[in-house]
Amino acid sequence: LLEILSETKDPTRVQPHLKKCFEGIAKLEFTEALDITHMKSSEGEVVPLIDVISTAKARGQVEKWLLELEIDMIASLKKVIADATAAYITRPRIEWVREWCGQSVLCVSQLYWTKYTHDALKSGPKAMEEYLALNTKQIEQIVALVR
């Protein structure tokens, strides 16, 4: 914590400590003016921030821009998840999975799984069997993608 707070002149030196502060953020993308524009995960996924965070405006107060980052991280992920939700029904699922970051894929997949399971339960045994077959196919596609 002291090392983070002592890095007032160079915000990029906080990078090694980000994993301890924010689960899922391994690095931040900085402009030459030291503005923060993107979050990066350990897996290499990149999420753009809704607002550019100016570390210069914080005038050396690391805790100030870290708090801004926390707020913007939540807003940015909400936007990405909303966009991924809208995109889910527009293309084949396997293509959709490749286009979105892991957290949004998990969230939106759970949302649609719940919706489609509810619909199948209401429709009866035949619909349940068809939905089971679809789920099995989707799992096989994901396994093939990961291999």
Side-chain angles (χ1 to χ4, degrees):
L1 182 59
L2 290 175
E3 192 170 339
I4 291 172
L5 294 175
S6 70
E7 299 302 342
T8 59
K9 302 271 191 280
D10 185 5
T12 61
R13 295 193 55 196
V14 173
Q15 299 254 38
H17 308 290
L18 285 171
K19 288 183 195 176
K20 298 170 191 163
C21 298
F22 303 105
E23 187 177 342
I25 299 180
K27 291 183 179 182
L28 297 171
E29 209 169 276
F30 289 88
T31 64
E32 288 190 25
L34 296 178
D35 293 337
I36 304 167
T37 59
H38 295 77
M39 305 177 285
K40 293 183 177 182
S41 73
S42 299
E43 293 80 22
E45 296 175 329
V46 178
V47 175
L49 294 172
I50 289 177
D51 300 312
V52 173
I53 298 172
S54 172
T55 59
K57 282 184 184 175
R59 295 190 178 135
Q61 297 176 354
V62 177
E63 65 278 9
K64 188 173 181 178
W65 67 260
L66 282 175
L67 184 58
E68 274 186 68
L69 175 62
E70 180 182 16
I71 293 165
D72 207 22
M73 171 189 65
I74 293 167
S76 298
L77 286 174
K78 280 183 183 179
K79 183 184 181 322
V80 167
I81 290 169
D83 293 347
T85 302
Y88 185 86
I89 56 173
T90 64
R91 61 187 48 82
R93 186 172 187 276
I94 198 70
E95 289 177 23
W96 174 84
V97 166
R98 290 183 184 133
E99 293 176 18
W100 297 95
C101 64
Q103 188 170 10
S104 61
V105 167
L106 289 172
C107 182
V108 175
S109 292
Q110 290 171 357
L111 182 131
Y112 276 99
W113 180 88
T114 302
K115 179 195 178 319
Y116 294 146
T117 299
H118 181 74
D119 292 348
L121 284 169
K122 284 184 3 185
S123 298
K126 183 163 175 44
M128 289 289 292
E129 288 176 22
E130 291 170 0
Y131 190 53
L132 173 62
L134 176 65
N135 275 307
T136 302
K137 179 183 170 189
Q138 288 177 345
I139 291 170
E140 289 169 353
Q141 289 174 335
I142 294 293
V143 168
L145 178 67
V146 171
R147 287 184 184 165

